Amino acid sequence: SSVVNLGLIKLNQVGFLPAASKLAVVPEVAATAFQLLDSDTHRVVYSGELTSAANWVPAQERVKLADFSGITEPGIYQLRVEGVEDSHSFPIGTEVYRDLAAASIKAFYYNRAGTALLSQHAGIYARQAGHPDTQVYVHGSAASQARPEGTVISSPKGWYDAGDYNKYIVNSGISTYTLLAAYEHFPLLFNEQNLNIPESNDDMPDLLDEILWNLEWMLTMQDPHDGGVYHKLTNKNFDGTVMPHQATSQRYVVQKTTAAALDFAAVMATASRVFAAYEAQRPGLAAQMREAAESAWAWAQTNPAVFYVQPADIRTGEYGDRSLADEFAWAAAELYITTGDDSYYTAMNAAGTENTVSSWGDVRGLAWISLAHHRDNLTDLADQDLIASRVTGLANSLHNTWQASAYRVSMQTNHFVWGSNSVALNQGIVLVQAYRLSGERRYLDAAQSMLDYVLGRNATNIAQVTGFGTRSTLHPHHRPSEADGIEAPIPGFVAGGPNPGQQDRSDCPVSYPSAVTARSYLDHYCSYASNEIAINWNAPLVYLVAAVQALTPV
Ligand code: G3I
Ligand code: 9MR
């Protein structure tokens, strides 16, 4: 008899809000129907038709879909299809994302540099302080007359970038912006949230306190003598697998680059308008940020093409990028929104700026997100039709892919790069913008699918956020999670995700379970190319979870 690979039912293991779209992927079986069971009593509460089988190209897998969106009654359920194992149990309820929403932000706290994590905040993940970064050398490549090579500067705080312990301005840019955007778009959610961080009892939302931890570091990365911004603060080599306090190599600020100046300018302009509401708590901060943004922008005008070139003695992450039209457009857009100065709108070159799904190296989409959000408060110069068409144009193309996809996701084969889960999440963010503009439900449903994807409706059948779901990422490439001697990884971190590039192959003692694009994921500490964590991957998780909570009708 022929062998049939029955596979497994895949769905968002964390669950669904009552009024959300609810889909599961079912392997190709003969059955044409599915049942929804109450997971305690195993009573059938709903039966529905499966779609006919179709192939999802990135997974080379033929699947059917079960749509049980009609079930809105809170409870714990399982999906049953004849010929396959019953699905994971999953909840439907109004609070299903409450813990995830908090943990995805708390992850940034766990990645704080320069401070001890106390057990009252960090529980079993308490640890000593590492990387004070109060005695950082100016690397030769960053030297200037005012700060010659070897000058010592202080550049404390900030978040570690990822599973490594270095701090990079370019990647901090999109990460910090995405968190600020979550706050700008959905403030009510965050005003109520208690993350149990050291600042929880002050009179600012915890999310903003957490963001400030990184903004304060970013401000120190600007050279006050000229407005230029160092590209990164780093060791010469990646640290071993040790806790932060055991990683004591000398730290350096390396190069000033145009990309760093522009990403810095964009974030400081954004932060300046958010923190303007907190003048009483932090007098002068908003003005300081705005001036920092403007001087970084001015530096970039006189230094428009200074690209990062990794010095021979530095071997850590590069975040190198040689096409900066998108960084110019993003910084100009944020400065325009914050200052109301038309010359920034002109500098943005809106008509020549497309919309794309954002990543650390392509930030033009962030400009469109901000312009769309602030559309009612822009000067007359802004082209309102263009803003709307840029947002819906990109969202429509993602929606079309989603609609035609056997998994009902907008991920295509070429999206599976290093950090592919962040591609999925950033696609979700684009779809959310179209929903916010149009109110058309199809965009929200597609955005929900991108969250579902990361939380289990993917070809690995692994919920890719540590600590969430019945079968989730266990061994992220995250030095503290590996070196702390605690079995469970620090919760709330999204893994990079499937990446057929497998650039870590020679550093891994085991091979990936599959070379197939959407299954090229290895849940092992060695796998920095598919299983690292990073601030620019967690930030869109924070955003999308918040968006789904704030926007799904009750
Ligand atoms: O842009 C090309 C694209 O045109 C091409 O089709 C595709 C095919 O492989 O590759 C794309 O380039 C990739 C690039 O990321 C952009 O996605 C490179 O192959 C890939 O190697 C590169 O990976 C970056 C990785 O560092 C290695 O440099 C990741 O984006 C980036 O997130 C990651 O960042 C690291 C930091 O350097 C250090 N800290 C940890 C962090 C996360 O792993
Ligand atoms: O641990 C490093 C990780 O944070 C980076 O994303 C990755 C790519 O730059 O590099 C990792 O470090 C590896 C290095 O590149 C090669 N030797 C093994 C290191 C991992 O233990």
Side-chain angles (χ1 to χ4, degrees), residues 52-69:
S52 53
N55 180 34
W56 190 43
V57 174
Q60 294 173 26
E61 183 185 9
R62 289 179 62 80
V63 297
K64 299 182 172 187
L65 277 174
D67 185 342
F68 48 101
S69 304

Side-chain angles (χ1 to χ4, degrees), residues 163-164 238 418 477 479 507 528 532:
D164 63 327
F238 284 114
W418 189 313
H477 186 80
R479 283 169 175 75
D507 284 315
Y528 48 83
E532 192 161 356

Side-chain angles (χ1 to χ4, degrees), residues 504-512 522 524-527:
D504 47 22
R505 213 184 286 120
S506 63
D507 284 315
C508 282
V510 291
S511 51
Y512 279 57
L522 177 58
H524 188 292
Y525 173 70
C526 69
S527 185

Side-chain angles (χ1 to χ4, degrees), residues 161-166 168 171 238 316-320 359-361 414 416-419 422-423 477 499 501 503 528-529 532-537:
D161 183 56
D164 63 327
Y165 291 140
N166 304 297
Y168 309 82
N171 203 42
F238 284 114
T316 53
E318 299 195 19
Y319 291 118
S359 65
W360 64 259
N414 62 330
F416 286 84
V417 294
W418 189 313
S422 73
V423 178
H477 186 80
N499 171 17
Q503 291 90 335
Y528 48 83
E532 192 161 356
I533 61 90
I535 56 174
N536 64 312
W537 306 338

